Amino acid sequence: MTHKPCPHPVTGAHHAGEEHIACADHAACRENTPCRLCRIEVDQLNVVLGGQALLKDVSLHIHCGELTALIGTNGAGKTTLLRALLGQIEYKGTIRHLTSEGLPAAEIRTGYVPQQLEFDRSSPVTVMDFMAGSLSRRAVFLGIPKKTRERALAALARTHCEKLCDRPLGALSGGELQRVLLALALTPQPDLLILDEPVSGVDQNGLETFYQTVDELKHKNHMAILLVSHDLDVVERYADRVVLMQGTVIKQGSPEVVFDSPEFEQVFYARGGRA
């Protein structure tokens, strides 16, 4: 697929020879359907907390229809960048949400899948109880309305875990639980899906099923996906673009470009192996 340079460049966002990617080749744009969110432009973002500079001059683009992975060692600023994007911390610089027409996007929906969910695993709460309680203001012990149950089942079906609906939440494997959380993050349909180390500690089968589901969702839905992961093999297989961070952006581009770069070697092989 041939992409054209983005008509709204961000100063300093890329190294020489790299260019931003516009989403005009995605199906929704070919059909002249304006995107609710075409891209997120992060321009010269700085975060200082407690007198310490956590992020310095971070610039990058996150595009719809693509999975962008943030990588780097612990303390590189990945979580800080997520918090800035979610509006949880103060920052200097600019974060723009733009439509395919380059206009400010309104009412951006963000779905978020955390590293893990803290809860009492001995609780009898089922997957359906959890989903219904999250999707409705009605107390679950009063009964789950038919429409709420149907909505929950439809959400679970998107991540291929509708058969888990009657299972206790605490009886799920790590991979199953994360797919349930993914189903919840997709309801309602987000414009930006954030995956914050979503399968840390999950076995290999669960990991593969989770990312295959995410890859399927990326191809079926016109949304931007932002992944934070320490699993570089997963990033290499599933990411469209990779952003290598070390307090700032030190390299970004396709997985091949980033993984073959001197910057990547310096960060991950300086101590004799991948971090």
Side-chain angles (χ1 to χ4, degrees), residues 81-92:
L81 178 56
L82 288 189
R83 294 181 64 193
L85 289 170
L86 291 169
Q88 296 178 347
I89 56 174
E90 294 185 0
Y91 60 85
K92 292 184 178 180

Side-chain angles (χ1 to χ4, degrees), residues 144-161:
I144 302 174
K146 181 180 178 181
K147 287 186 177 181
T148 300
R149 181 177 294 274
E150 290 174 349
R151 187 181 178 201
L153 284 173
L156 292 168
R158 295 187 70 186
T159 59
H160 309 295
C161 51

Side-chain angles (χ1 to χ4, degrees), residues 14 82 137 139 161 163 218:
H14 288 272
L82 288 189
R137 295 181 180 180
C161 51
K163 293 181 180 179
K218 182 189 73 173

Side-chain angles (χ1 to χ4, degrees), residues 10-233:
V10 172
T11 303
H14 288 272
H15 293 267
E18 297 179 355
E19 63 183 11
H20 296 299
I21 303 301
C23 67
D25 292 314
H26 290 300
C29 296
R30 287 200 303 269
E31 295 167 2
N32 297 317
T33 302
C35 301
R36 280 173 51 92
L37 176 66
C38 170
R39 62 192 175 278
I40 300 172
E41 296 181 351
V42 179
D43 188 7
Q44 300 294 305
L45 189 74
N46 291 268
V47 174
V48 177
L49 292 177
Q52 181 181 3
L54 302 183
L55 291 178
K56 182 179 180 181
D57 297 335
V58 170
S59 295
L60 58 102
H61 275 193
I62 302 166
H63 281 270
C64 62
E66 293 185 350
L67 190 154
T68 299
L70 302 180
I71 65 172
T73 57
N74 291 332
K78 303 183 296 295
T79 298
T80 301
L81 178 56
L82 288 189
R83 294 181 64 193
L85 289 170
L86 291 169
Q88 296 178 347
I89 56 174
E90 294 185 0
Y91 60 85
K92 292 184 178 180
T94 306
I95 298 176
R96 305 182 189 91
H97 300 89
L98 300 174
T99 68
S100 55
E101 298 173 337
L103 301 175
E107 300 180 0
I108 293 303
R109 299 192 189 113
T110 301
Y112 179 78
V113 179
Q115 183 173 343
Q116 59 185 1
L117 178 68
E118 298 292 342
F119 67 100
D120 181 1
R121 285 191 169 270
S122 66
S123 169
V125 172
T126 66
V127 170
M128 178 56 70
D129 293 336
F130 172 71
M131 292 294 292
S134 301
L135 297 176
S136 172
R137 295 181 180 180
R138 179 186 172 92
V140 174
F141 67 83
L142 295 176
I144 302 174
K146 181 180 178 181
K147 287 186 177 181
T148 300
R149 181 177 294 274
E150 290 174 349
R151 187 181 178 201
L153 284 173
L156 292 168
R158 295 187 70 186
T159 59
H160 309 295
C161 51
E162 66 272 25
K163 293 181 180 179
L164 303 175
C165 66
D166 295 324
R167 292 265 302 276
L169 204 62
L172 302 181
S173 68
E176 289 171 338
L177 178 58
Q178 290 307 97
R179 282 191 290 131
V180 169
L181 295 179
L182 177 60
L184 184 59
L186 292 169
T187 310
Q189 172 80 15
D191 303 296
L192 171 65
L193 176 63
I194 294 179
L195 308 174
D196 188 3
E197 298 188 52
V199 289
S200 179
V202 173
D203 63 39
Q204 188 64 30
N205 287 336
L207 181 150
E208 290 295 337
T209 301
F210 182 89
Y211 281 113
Q212 287 171 5
T213 302
V214 169
D215 195 55
E216 178 183 324
L217 289 165
K218 182 189 73 173
H219 286 94
K220 286 185 177 181
N221 301 276
H222 205 61
M223 73 175 99
I225 302 176
L226 182 62
L227 167 69
V228 173
S229 179
H230 287 286
D231 192 328
L232 300 179
D233 292 328

